[in-house]
Amino acid sequence: MNLNNFSLQGKIALVTGASYGIGYAIAKAYAECGATIVFNDVNQELVDKGLAQYKADGINAHGYVCDVTDEQGVEELIKKIEDEVGTVDILVNNAGIIKRIPMIEMSAADFRKVIDIDLNGPFIMAKAVIPGMIKKGHGKIINICSMMSELGRETVSAYAAAKGGLKMLTKNIASEYGEFNIQCNGIGPGYIATPQTAPLREIQADGSRHPFDQFIIAKTPAARWGEAEDLQGPAVFLASDASNFVNGHILYVDGGILAYIGKQPK
Ligand code: NAP
Ligand code: GCO
């Protein structure tokens, strides 16, 4: 077996919303495997924060301001990247938001906002990079899905609808563009300690752990939250030639949550 198949030497990887959190950890792993890193975020402040962090880690990343829901802006971004860096080989659709609101209290505007960023965004990004990938003769698209691509829970109806949709968008891109040597797969992270999940882990006034924090530990056979770094190996695999015959798959990286019925009562 050729271990060089895991190398990303000479590849250009675009990771959306990668100033910090899961996107940053994935981009850092890609850089360590030889890829040139390009990322975008919603405003200059975030991009500057990301650029400073990449620099501190010895990575010469290219950062751009771009909202993934802005179709024209995304087309301009891809053109700019082609001119300034080159054609994208690897796209990671990482940018995402969550709104935790009981469904009957949620406005349609809030529901649409989540669907727009978490589902329309990956569609807009993917459709902008696929023509370049077809010309180049290969491409990897990795969509960051969720436990909510499979499961529901209170307050996250929009997020679950978007991430369930993203799972099916993944399968459809694989079906439609597999013949062009484009592989589109998803990563379904379990509960990962990032700013997005910080409200679920806040220490309570009496010093005890947040009830949701305890719930997640009990639901996870690994009995811990994931770290963004837990996603690095799977993300490198799906971006590399080692996964050239893996297409339309969602790789859940969840410490076993989806395999587990839950702790039996004592
Ligand atoms: P995060 O800490 O909130 O980071 C998400 C990034 O995306 C932020 O930089 C955010 O910018 C950016 N973003 C938001 N809207 C954007 C837009 N319209 N255009 C461009 N960038 C935008 O989230 P994370 O926890 O690292 O999660 C990253 C991805 O993994 C998300 O898709 C999330 O749903 C998914 N995920 C997370 C977990 C978890 O447990 N943390 C588990 C499963 C899946 P702002 O700072 O301005 O919002
Ligand atoms: C929530 C969480 C999740 C996770 C993640 C799970 O409120 O339930 O934020 O949805 O972030 O996507 O995989």
Side-chain angles (χ1 to χ4, degrees):
M1 132 122 227
N2 182 0
L3 283 181
N4 285 338
N5 279 351
F6 288 92
S7 165
L8 302 179
Q9 207 66 46
K11 306 282 187 199
I12 297 172
L14 167 58
V15 187
T16 67
S19 301
Y20 64 92
I22 289 174
Y24 182 81
I26 290 176
K28 184 165 180 271
Y30 285 178
E32 283 161 6
C33 293
T36 299
I37 303 306
V38 186
F39 73 98
N40 70 299
D41 221 311
V42 273
N43 59 49
Q44 192 62 53
E45 202 186 331
L46 273 174
V47 170
D48 288 345
K49 186 178 144 191
L51 283 172
Q53 190 57 53
Y54 284 105
K55 197 168 172 206
D57 282 334
I59 300 165
N60 180 22
H62 304 258
Y64 296 91
V65 176
C66 179
D67 184 322
V68 296
T69 65
D70 174 0
E71 194 172 5
Q72 201 191 324
V74 167
E75 274 164 24
E76 285 164 13
L77 170 74
I78 300 306
K79 173 86 185 60
K80 214 170 184 189
I81 295 171
E82 272 178 10
D83 292 346
E84 293 176 4
V85 191
T87 303
V88 172
D89 300 284
I90 302 158
L91 166 68
V92 181
N93 276 315
N94 166 78
I97 61 162
I98 190 166
K99 287 185 186 284
R100 299 184 185 97
I101 306 170
M103 193 183 116
I104 59 172
E105 292 167 23
M106 188 171 209
S107 67
D110 274 343
F111 190 91
R112 279 194 198 103
K113 172 100 182 152
V114 176
I115 300 283
D116 207 21
I117 295 174
D118 293 4
L119 182 55
N120 292 342
F123 161 75
I124 289 168
M125 291 299 309
K127 104 187 172 90
V129 298
I130 286 171
M133 291 177 170
I134 291 175
K135 267 196 213 136
K136 228 176 173 180
H138 66 252
K140 300 277 185 183
I141 299 174
I142 297 154
N143 291 328
I144 305 302
C145 298
S146 165
M147 292 293 89
M148 272 63 221
S149 298
E150 299 293 338
L151 303 169
R153 85 169 187 85
E154 300 84 348
T155 74
V156 297
S157 58
Y159 186 78
K163 294 293 188 179
L166 187 57
K167 173 180 73 173
M168 288 314 300
L169 178 65
T170 303
K171 290 173 191 263
N172 211 87
I173 294 172
S175 308
E176 203 165 342
Y177 296 103
E179 66 172 298
F180 298 102
N181 193 23
I182 293 172
Q183 289 84 47
C184 181
N185 293 289
I187 290 178
Y191 278 80
I192 312 294
T194 68
Q196 194 236 57
T197 53
L200 307 175
R201 285 177 284 107
E202 261 167 19
I203 300 294
Q204 303 299 278
D206 64 1
S208 65
R209 296 177 81 154
H210 193 296
F212 196 89
D213 181 359
Q214 298 177 30
F215 165 68
I216 287 305
I217 300 296
K219 281 293 285 179
T220 310
R224 67 169 175 88
W225 284 71
E227 300 297 333
E229 289 71 22
D230 287 316
L231 302 166
Q232 290 177 320
V236 167
F237 167 63
L238 291 177
S240 72
D241 288 345
S243 61
N244 279 352
F245 204 50
V246 180
N247 211 357
H249 186 76
I250 311 298
L251 175 49
Y252 290 101
V253 185
D254 64 353
I257 292 178
L258 289 177
Y260 190 38
I261 193 169
K263 254 201 188 350
Q264 58 181 330
K266 289 245 157 62

